[in-house]
Amino acid sequence: MTEGIRRGLTNYGDRDFALYLRRSFARSMGYSTAALERPLVGIADSRSAFNNCHRHLPELVEAVKRGVTAAGGLALEFPTISLGEVFLEPTSMVYRNLMSMDVEEMVRAQPMDSVVLVGGCDKTVPAQLMGAASAGVPAIQVPAGPMMTGRWHGERLGACTDCRRFWGKYRAGQLSTKEIDGIETRLATTAGTCAVMGTASTMACLAEALGMTVPGAAAVPAVHADRLRVAEASGVAAVELARTRRAPERVMTRAAFDNAVRVLLAIGGSTNAVVHLTAIAGRCGVDLTLERLNRLSDETPVLVDLKPSGQHYMEDFFAAGGMPAVLRELRPMLDLDCLTVTGETLGARIDTADRYVDRAVIRSATEPFQSVGGLVALFGSLAPRGAILKRSAADARLFEGEGRAVVFESLDDLSARVDDPALDVTPTDYLVLKNAGPLGGPGMPEAGYLPIPQKLSRAGVTDMVRISDARMSGTAYGTIVLHVTPEAAAGGPLAAVQHGDRIRLSVKDRRLDLLVEEGEIQRRLARIPRASSVPARGYRRLYAEHVLQADAGCDFDFLRAAAR
Ligand code: FES
């Protein structure tokens, strides 16, 4: 029995009056008595004219409503914050927790028996899952789906790995201004999220791996008719969820997060997803550690050949079998008893899925694309609480070695000096960026993909070791060490690095060390004035006072759940 319209009544000190008043006002929207007695399914709609990736959400929401109505529920959509990745300053990550709080509070405050979360751009799926987990209301995710690729002069392109590739060529003087302007009109040509295995696609795959979507939901292109069928099926499932009252914490268990980490590694997923998955797990009382990531990474091969690690695009992944094919390949490594939002176990889903697979895109576990997982955590005197390297998208020739640090103190310092012809830098140096972490950025801007200094890129250098406390876009590639924790602005050893210091990187040993004596590191840190940059008011003040470091998912300290 669902509570529907009776759920969470407004407090007037008279419950019968509160229900009478609510019904009266609901009548003004034209609902019949019978409609108001149905299970109420909320639809968290993150459409926004500032979010190109969500351009098709009106159509998706209509399809969800169709499914809810067909299954005997009453669908009520409501707006939430939307985070359009490239339309936000200083960076969308600052606002992920705000969106999660919006979702949590509106899902809890409004009378809904279950909720369908519709979103896709990088931070929206994490924010929706974090919010739904905290609200404790049965929830199902509908990812927006990826864009289709475009063509420029016969060449296939997709946001945003190709955005970076062509921009790098333009910086190196290999493309004219007219050509880069022409490419600009062909990189993102349809609705949907970035066309490669970037953060948005990764999070959609992880939502499916966690059991929070209907089967096969992650990879269907945004403009494909199957995407509408996914939305309709999710509406149907949401009504059943309302009846069974299966809360997110029954689906997003510790074992489900292990499954999601396996998938993250096997798809060569985004580094950002480590932060987001840690944050979602934290809302469920599950502590997801980087040590655990390393253990699973050693045992989990990369199966998919997708950009930015490989060659193909998300529409190819969909046509090749998508997530059902990946899950089937990973079957021996997964906890098959995990419950999904549709009520069946993950094992049952795998066993009933279509068995087609295109091995050019999704390899077998016996002949993988890469034999070990796409991501690895590094620890050492430069990153006591960890850092991340996406080895599947990096140059393995740079994995073991030592380099001279060329240091940029901030993003402003980077943009002021990186292309200075007088910059003291060689191809074997390690570029270091400080003060771009959760506090210093703020919001860990996706600046970890430091540009190769122009004088080197023009000489043909395409990759260097780059180290920072920033994040990088899930569509980026290179030998890039990210999320150095603690960050420089929080007094981490990264703050002590000086131009000319030696740094040792060993992916084999999972090490990142500043080759400076510990006493000297501490003396340097003691001399650095701790800038107090807490904003005077508003959300940005809340952010500065409560954001946690990357190893806790950059969630706010007061939003994480007690461990279970
Ligand atoms: Fe929205 Fe890439 S900009 S997913």
Side-chain angles (χ1 to χ4, degrees):
M1 177 67 184
T2 57
E3 290 183 68
I5 196 82
R6 296 170 192 79
R7 178 177 289 275
L9 291 169
T10 312
N11 194 355
Y12 296 111
D14 181 342
R15 291 181 55 80
D16 291 342
F17 174 69
L19 180 56
Y20 170 72
L21 201 64
R22 177 176 288 176
R23 279 213 191 97
S24 304
F25 280 66
R27 297 288 191 180
S28 78
M29 295 186 277
Y31 294 118
S32 64
T33 304
L36 292 176
E37 286 305 312
R38 291 177 167 208
L40 296 196
V41 176
I43 304 174
D45 180 355
S46 56
R47 79 183 67 173
S48 162
F50 287 99
N51 193 336
N52 59 293
C53 302
H54 292 191
R55 171 156 69 89
H56 59 310
L57 258 52
E59 200 182 12
L60 274 188
V61 167
E62 281 310 308
V64 173
K65 290 172 80 170
R66 193 164 68 229
V68 171
T69 305
L74 177 63
L76 298 170
E77 76 265 41
F78 61 98
T80 70
I81 290 172
S82 185
L83 301 176
E85 188 63 23
V86 300
F87 294 98
L88 290 158
E89 72 87 21
T91 175
S92 62
M93 186 64 176
V94 169
Y95 305 102
R96 184 203 62 182
N97 295 349
L98 181 63
M99 182 175 175
S100 80
M101 292 166 74
D102 179 3
V103 171
E104 173 185 346
E105 298 301 338
M106 288 302 100
V107 166
R108 191 189 290 117
Q110 299 173 127
M112 60 192 80
D113 297 302
S114 66
V115 60
V116 183
L117 310 162
V118 188
C121 195
D122 290 15
K123 309 302 179 295
T124 57
V125 168
Q128 289 177 328
L129 290 176
M130 290 162 73
S134 296
V137 171
I140 184 166
Q141 182 80 51
V142 177
M147 294 177 199
M148 304 297 283
T149 53
R151 293 284 190 284
W152 179 76
H153 292 190
E155 188 172 352
R156 192 179 182 203
L157 351 160
C160 215
T161 303
D162 293 324
C163 315
R164 292 168 210 289
R165 183 163 64 86
F166 283 112
W167 189 251
K169 284 187 175 183
Y170 176 62
R171 278 177 54 81
Q174 295 162 13
L175 287 173
S176 68
T177 302
K178 188 160 180 268
E179 285 173 318
I180 198 75
D181 286 349
I183 291 163
E184 180 184 298
T185 65
R186 292 291 175 269
L187 282 164
T189 51
T190 74
T193 53
C194 286
V196 298
M197 191 55 82
T199 304
S201 294
T202 303
M203 290 312 304
C205 290
L206 300 191
E208 186 168 341
L210 283 168
M212 289 298 291
T213 70
V214 297
V220 185
V223 295
H224 196 293
D226 278 0
R227 176 59 54 196
L228 296 173
R229 281 184 276 273
V230 162
E232 186 184 301
S234 303
V236 173
V239 177
E240 184 58 19
L241 267 179
R243 293 193 172 112
T244 59
R245 311 285 287 273
R246 195 178 305 113
E249 67 175 26
R250 289 189 54 207
V251 177
M252 293 194 282
T253 59
R254 181 175 294 280
F257 281 104
D258 265 6
N259 287 344
V261 173
R262 293 276 192 195
V263 167
L264 169 63
L265 295 161
I267 61 178
S270 161
T271 47
N272 286 325
V274 178
V275 177
H276 297 319
L277 201 58
T278 303
I280 300 164
R283 295 293 184 97
C284 299
V286 174
D287 193 15
L288 207 59
T289 66
L290 293 178
E291 288 83 358
R292 183 77 183 141
L293 173 79
N294 272 347
R295 272 198 295 282
L296 297 179
S297 190
D298 287 339
E299 305 164 358
T300 313
V302 181
L303 299 176
V304 303
D305 180 357
L306 283 194
K307 287 176 186 280
S309 301
Q311 292 306 308
H312 298 96
Y313 294 89
M314 283 303 289
E315 66 195 67
D316 307 320
F317 180 55
F318 167 62
M323 273 295 291
V326 170
L327 291 170
R328 188 167 59 249
E329 210 54 51
L330 289 176
R331 195 179 194 284
M333 300 180 184
L334 300 175
D335 188 324
L336 303 172
D337 293 331
C338 286
L339 201 58
T340 69
V341 277
T342 42
E344 78 267 27
T345 62
L346 184 66
R349 270 193 181 186
I350 292 172
D351 292 342
T352 53
D354 184 356
R355 303 191 73 77
Y356 173 73
V357 61
D358 178 354
R359 288 289 182 217
V361 181
I362 303 170
R363 309 283 173 81
S364 69
T366 48
E367 290 180 76
F369 180 57
Q370 292 176 9
S371 58
V372 287
L375 301 172
V376 67
L378 307 170
F379 298 89
S381 61
L382 189 50
R385 282 161 51 194
I388 291 286
L389 172 77
K390 186 172 185 176
R391 58 180 165 186
S392 61
D395 184 343
R397 289 170 299 186
L398 299 175
F399 282 5
E400 309 297 323
E402 206 180 294
R404 184 186 67 140
V406 173
V407 178
F408 300 95
E409 293 294 330
S410 65
L411 284 161
D412 287 345
D413 184 32
L414 174 72
S415 63
R417 291 195 299 121
V418 72
D419 288 337
D420 185 342
L423 182 70
D424 175 18
V425 66
T426 71
T428 57
D429 289 336
Y430 289 4
L431 304 181
V432 176
L433 171 65
K434 302 179 186 176
N435 295 307
L439 284 166
M444 301 178 84
E446 292 186 339
Y449 180 76
L450 277 68
I452 305 289
Q454 204 163 49
K455 71 179 186 183
L456 298 182
S457 68
R458 293 210 157 152
V461 177
T462 55
D463 196 8
M464 296 173 71
V465 174
R466 289 160 269 181
I467 300 167
S468 73
D469 46 13
R471 295 174 298 116
M472 77 172 177
S473 164
T475 61
Y477 49 91
T479 311
I480 297 172
V481 179
L482 303 154
H483 312 178
V484 169
T485 305
E487 64 173 304
L494 182 67
V497 184
Q498 294 180 354
H499 182 88
D501 285 346
R502 306 291 296 176
I503 294 173
R504 182 180 298 139
L505 169 67
S506 174
V507 176
K508 173 170 56 71
D509 296 335
R510 312 282 185 268
R511 298 288 305 181
L512 183 68
D513 289 296
L514 176 59
L515 304 182
V516 171
E517 191 254 322
E518 176 58 27
E520 172 60 14
I521 293 176
Q522 293 308 323
R523 278 191 291 280
R524 289 182 189 177
L525 290 176
R527 285 198 298 269
I528 298 170
R530 293 291 285 274
S532 173
S533 57
V534 176
R537 59 174 298 283
Y539 172 74
R540 292 288 291 274
R541 177 171 180 165
L542 186 78
Y543 177 93
E545 290 178 341
H546 294 283
V547 72
L548 298 168
Q549 292 287 288
D551 58 348
C554 299
D555 203 358
F556 291 159
D557 49 12
F558 60 86
L559 291 176
R560 283 163 67 85
R564 64 175 157 108

